Amino acid sequence: MLTLHLTNGDSAASALARSGLPGDIVSWRDVLHDGPVPPDDDLSVFHHVRAEFLAGRGWSNLLTAITDFEQRDARLDDVTAGDEVVLWFEPDLYDQLQLIQILARFERRAPGERPRITIVPADCYLGLLLPEKFAPLYAARRAITPEDLVHGRVTWRAFTSSTPDELLAVTNRLDREVTARTYISDDLVRLPHLVAALRRQLEEYPDTDAGLSRSERQLCEALSPGAITLGKLFAAHQVMESWVWLGDVSFAWYAERLSDCAHPIVVHTNGSRVIAPLRDTDGRAFWERTVQLTSFGQDVVRARADVVRANGIDRWIGGTHCTQAQYWRWDARTQHTELVPCT
């Protein structure tokens, strides 16, 4: 019997490898919260869409990304009914999106062709654990049920939908059905962190107050008291999250989006615009530079101006493409999305 461990990336995979647990390890590398995420019924199309986005941002080479996706998915295809797949995923948005993608993939298989699928009860960040902490989590792993696989498929379909309506409906339904919010609070729950992660994803739509996503608002609010370095700004942003999910390269891109636009919200203290470094360059100087809010940015933070009306929008959130022709806003007070048609 083959044991295949699936986890979120290289940090957790490295820590897991040092634990000495038997089995192979596969890192599920993809920042699904950024860029277009179409349905993956056609894996070749899906691989190319994701790889083109990553390469376009300078986060990966096109061929390297496609090859990584193909090899990763081939490992899933190789496991059979006599094998076990162990899921090692953290509570944050980055991990939970990867988790539903994997669950959806296995749900498509006929029940008799599925491996045994288990999940470790991780109410923690796995990459920070000492090697000896992995064995107890492995011993406490819980069996994923057919119902869990359906939850994964339905949620993945909603996330890759062309509107946020289905994702909101699924999130509200799961909120009623999955009442536990941590593994430790319920010995039977398998997906306790999914609802919070999905709601966090919905908060990435522009808000109804000033057109800022929650990530953008946190960035701006951390700058509101005065200028600080981008490194300190990133650290301040992380503190505002219940579970940290945004990596440094994504954060740098978010800062660039708020700067390299018609009406900048964030600039360097000399007035120049923030441009995120490429992954294969030395970005140390980027994080040491000081940034500040512009006067327009101060108005946006105080809801006296609207960033989308001023700068427009062209952003993918899962399978939803927000453009000036049609986009959605998130109302934090009512916990609903609002369609904004072309005016």
Side-chain angles (χ1 to χ4, degrees), residues 78-293:
D78 286 344
V79 293
T80 66
D83 301 323
E84 180 179 0
V85 172
V86 187
L87 305 176
W88 297 79
F89 289 93
E90 298 167 353
D92 59 85
L93 174 63
Y94 173 85
D95 281 48
Q96 294 295 302
L97 292 178
Q98 294 179 348
L99 174 60
I100 61 173
Q101 183 184 17
I102 292 167
L103 294 177
R105 287 282 304 280
F106 281 120
E107 199 276 339
R108 294 175 198 158
R109 291 198 192 184
E113 297 175 358
R114 295 170 186 161
R116 181 188 181 213
I117 308 170
T118 57
I119 191 165
V120 298
D123 291 324
C124 59
Y125 298 114
L126 296 167
L128 303 178
L129 292 182
L130 295 172
E132 58 266 27
K133 298 294 184 181
F134 283 85
L137 281 174
Y138 178 71
R141 65 196 187 281
R142 305 174 185 187
I144 288 290
T145 68
E147 181 184 22
D148 298 324
L149 296 180
V150 171
H151 284 332
R153 171 179 54 81
V154 170
T155 306
W156 177 251
R157 184 184 66 196
F159 174 63
T160 59
S161 173
S162 60
T163 78
D165 301 339
E166 192 175 352
L167 183 60
L168 178 60
V170 169
T171 301
N172 289 336
R173 178 170 61 80
L174 289 177
D175 198 8
R176 296 188 297 269
E177 295 179 2
V178 183
T179 54
R181 292 293 175 262
T182 61
Y183 287 102
I184 198 171
S185 65
D186 189 325
D187 291 337
L188 299 178
V189 69
R190 277 88 55 194
L191 305 174
H193 298 290
L194 184 55
V195 170
L198 296 178
R199 210 167 291 282
R200 182 64 188 85
Q201 178 66 74
L202 288 163
E203 292 172 341
E204 284 304 286
Y205 282 90
D207 65 27
T208 53
D209 292 329
L212 292 169
S213 70
R214 176 174 160 183
S215 290
E216 292 168 343
R217 177 166 293 282
Q218 289 175 174
L219 187 158
C220 291
E221 288 179 349
L223 269 182
S224 190
I228 56 175
T229 66
L230 280 157
K232 290 181 179 178
L233 181 61
F234 180 48
H237 182 278
Q238 303 287 64
V239 171
M240 298 180 189
E241 297 284 353
S242 298
W243 289 101
V244 175
W245 57 274
L246 192 66
D248 55 353
V249 292
S250 290
F251 179 85
W253 180 41
Y254 291 14
E256 178 182 297
R257 282 204 317 248
L258 292 173
S259 186
D260 192 23
C261 49
H263 300 276
I265 294 96
V266 177
V267 294
H268 293 294
T269 49
N270 64 2
S272 64
R273 301 193 179 192
V274 178
I275 303 297
L278 298 177
R279 173 164 286 232
D280 58 357
T281 62
D282 181 7
R284 183 178 303 174
F286 172 84
W287 298 104
E288 292 174 349
R289 295 194 66 181
T290 304
V291 291
Q292 63 187 14
L293 287 177

Side-chain angles (χ1 to χ4, degrees), residues 43-89:
L43 283 177
S44 178
V45 172
F46 183 84
H47 293 161
H48 277 81
V49 169
R50 291 301 300 159
E52 285 173 359
F53 167 73
L54 296 173
R57 287 298 319 144
W59 296 348
S60 180
N61 172 274
L62 179 65
L63 181 59
T64 299
I66 291 175
T67 301
D68 187 49
F69 290 149
E70 289 176 343
Q71 291 177 345
R72 169 195 83 178
D73 289 334
R75 295 302 305 274
L76 251 63
D77 293 338
D78 286 344
V79 293
T80 66
D83 301 323
E84 180 179 0
V85 172
V86 187
L87 305 176
W88 297 79
F89 289 93

Side-chain angles (χ1 to χ4, degrees), residues 331-343:
D331 189 327
R333 289 171 287 274
T334 64
Q335 296 284 291
H336 281 85
T337 52
E338 298 179 2
L339 173 63
V340 182
C342 179
T343 56

Side-chain angles (χ1 to χ4, degrees), residues 312-314 321-328 339-343:
I313 186 170
D314 184 2
H321 193 192
C322 293
T323 68
Q324 283 300 98
Q326 180 176 269
Y327 68 97
W328 289 259
L339 173 63
V340 182
C342 179
T343 56

